[in-house]
Amino acid sequence: MPHVLTSRLRRRVWIAALAVAGVAASAVTANAMFFTPPAPPVASPTSSAAVVTTTSPAQTQDTTTPPGTPAPPAETTKAAVVAPPKPQEPIPPNAVRVAEFVAECPFTHRLPDDPIVLPNLPGASHMHSFFGNDSTNARSDVTSLGKGSSTCNPKVDLSSYWVPTLLVDGQPVEPTGTTFYYLGEGVRDDVTARIQPLPHGLRIVAGNAKATAPDNTTMSRWSCLHAGHVGASKDFVNCPAGTMIESYLDFPQCWNGKDLDSADHKSHMSYPVAGDCPATHPVPVPKLRQVLRYPVSGDPARFKLSSGPGFTMHGDFFNVWPEAEMAQRVRDCINRIVKCGPDGRP
């Protein structure tokens, strides 16, 4: 009798265990039926990342590239899809057909520094007046300037422009008119049509700070605003009362196609010859014309530059225009021979 009870008890326990197992199995099945893990996200064509090749700051800052030197590998970074360039607008019927865009860049500061001729040597230069980028000093390079801000209109122009300071009766006087024209003039129209953007990081010096007399190295001209009868000169001129003395300086517009600088800060650039760029400097770029108007007039014996007489006037240019902005203006204004304002539009 006890044996029979034990057998029945075992059978009941076994049935109960099977029932519990069945409930558990049903729960797992139900969970599988009503819960589906989320599928991995599918990249959208409009939100996918693209590989963008960029030039490292170190590459941009190199001033010379010896022949045969292989270029360092470009860095690749993951970035959002680059926006397409702005569409080219039709030429307005009233457009002025002059190949030109401009930047108005007021005075920022004075320093005895020159980051092109005397880099990393603060205080080693004669006094310079700086325009545009407000961070410029002896240690400036394309990276530091790119982090600065600008007085220019347009604000996107982070370039730095500087000249020797004008002294009147021994006191510094800064220009109240500071226009930097980018021009396609001085070459044939077919050359203007193939002008390329100034390369990012390009450095140029125009004029001769060490000139001992007016000669063919004197690229600047002095004249009088609203007094054209006085005539232009390589040295200071006597402007009538109520007018202003002004300085014009044209930079070279032919590039050798490889160097952002050179030992003398001039040899990588050239002025055109007979309306075209020479074979040694085959790449036409916009001509930079610097026009500065000083609120002084009268006896030029009172005037002096920090570099010396008026014929030592020179200009330094460090190009930090955003490449897309420069390219758009060259395409829409220079190549098409259309006069554009600071916004890059006719």
Side-chain angles (χ1 to χ4, degrees), residues 83-105:
K86 297 176 184 177
Q88 192 171 41
E89 298 181 6
I91 299 174
N94 60 343
V96 178
R97 303 312 299 268
V98 175
E100 172 189 309
F101 65 91
V102 300
E104 301 280 353
C105 303

Side-chain angles (χ1 to χ4, degrees), residues 1-10:
M1 188 69 172
H3 177 73
V4 173
L5 291 173
T6 302
S7 298
R8 288 177 179 174
L9 180 60
R10 286 178 178 171

Side-chain angles (χ1 to χ4, degrees), residues 20-106:
V20 171
V23 171
S26 299
V28 171
T29 303
N31 190 50
M33 289 173 62
F34 294 104
F35 175 74
T36 304
V42 178
S44 166
T46 59
S47 62
S48 61
V51 176
V52 179
T53 302
T54 59
T55 305
S56 68
Q59 287 175 254
T60 308
Q61 293 171 35
D62 287 344
T63 57
T64 56
T65 305
T69 302
E75 296 180 2
T76 57
T77 58
K78 292 284 185 179
V81 175
V82 177
K86 297 176 184 177
Q88 192 171 41
E89 298 181 6
I91 299 174
N94 60 343
V96 178
R97 303 312 299 268
V98 175
E100 172 189 309
F101 65 91
V102 300
E104 301 280 353
C105 303

Side-chain angles (χ1 to χ4, degrees), residues 223-247:
S223 60
C224 302
L225 180 64
H226 304 315
H229 61 278
V230 172
S233 171
K234 294 184 178 183
D235 207 344
F236 296 124
V237 292
N238 193 334
C239 295
T243 66
M244 300 170 67
I245 192 168
E246 56 186 357
S247 170

